[in-house]
Amino acid sequence: MSIVVTGASGKLGRHVVEQLLEKVPAGQVTAVVRSPEKVADLAERGVRVAVADYNAPETFDGLFAADDKVLLISGNEFDKGRVRQHSVVIDAAKAAGVALLAYTSAPGSLTASLADDHRGTERALLDSGVPYVLLRNGWYHENYTENLAPVLEHGAVVAAAGEGRISTASRADYAAAAVAVLTGEGHENATYELGGDEAWSFAEYAAELSRQTGREIAYNPVTPEALTGILAGAGLPEPAAAMFADVDAAIAKGELAVDSGDLSRLAGRPTTPLSEAVAAALKD
């Protein structure tokens, strides 16, 4: 039996593999990547590396074995049909008779267009009959803290979220939940709504940035249409800009405020506070 992580060279996948190595022997972990050179260090530590691509179904032939536990990390190629990509993994997992397939989805409360691919993948997974876990991940702190340069340059947080609140957590927190499912028992056919312990508003985020930088950082709320224009003007393709603005509109409606407590329960500890993520980002 192996624990197989797809997208293992990505930011979330890396966290998952590193945390798995704290719990199981390296030989029990398989990292699935498109570019093996990105995980050469993991291979040196004894992790099995498999090369496969969501866009090439044949690369998944024989990759899984019966009784494997698989983490399907959702792809980020929004223009290539993510449900079709994910179904490649689901079909291969079904053919192999894996013991469990966990999928990183989006909160069930999210109605933004970004969630459509996740709902479609969930349906494909449930229809497959493979024992599943839906890890409905909320937003990451890093979605915001990794993009502080323009905020600090202009002295403003710009968002179309109004006064909505969002319960983010760190990638390491979400990885801990995935590792708990992959190494634990009794999670078959479960759905977990995952989010940080504390929800915050963008006004509070701006205030935290102000506190930690000693500068005045304002919150500048805009309409989704205005945000789409701002993001497109900054070089983001217009469909992607509209998608992110749509997410902000969902935040305004409270769709990314997850209060289930599932994440901290699975991780076995409180989630990382936003203030810690801000402090870490400002040190970089």
Side-chain angles (χ1 to χ4, degrees), residues 35-197:
S35 303
E37 63 274 9
K38 292 184 178 180
V39 292
D41 60 311
L42 296 177
E44 290 175 359
R45 292 161 65 184
V47 173
R48 176 188 172 220
V49 174
V51 179
D53 188 329
Y54 295 160
N55 298 302
E58 68 278 4
T59 61
F60 280 91
D61 290 347
L63 195 155
F64 304 131
D67 298 327
D68 280 354
K69 292 184 177 180
V70 180
L71 176 64
L72 168 55
I73 294 181
S74 57
N76 57 9
E77 295 177 316
F78 298 99
D79 59 339
K80 292 190 176 180
R82 291 199 297 168
V83 177
R84 178 189 57 77
Q85 290 181 324
H86 299 157
S87 293
V88 166
V89 181
I90 294 168
D91 291 346
K94 179 178 181 179
V98 303
L100 189 74
L101 194 157
Y103 170 64
T104 61
S105 190
S109 54
L110 184 64
T111 64
S113 59
L114 183 66
D116 292 347
D117 288 346
H118 292 300
R119 300 289 94 85
T121 301
E122 288 184 2
R123 286 192 294 271
L125 180 51
L126 269 62
D127 288 347
S128 74
V130 173
Y132 68 87
V133 177
L134 301 181
L135 296 167
R136 287 178 168 170
N137 288 0
W139 253 224
Y140 306 145
H141 292 325
E142 292 90 344
N143 289 353
Y144 302 102
T145 60
E146 285 182 351
N147 298 289
L148 286 180
V151 174
L152 299 178
E153 178 184 351
H154 298 289
V157 172
V158 179
E163 298 178 3
R165 303 182 73 77
I166 178 171
S167 46
T168 56
S170 70
R171 286 196 186 97
D173 294 334
Y174 291 107
V179 168
V181 163
L182 294 168
T183 59
E185 300 296 335
H187 298 288
E188 291 81 0
N189 303 332
T191 298
Y192 296 111
E193 299 287 346
L194 304 177
D197 293 338

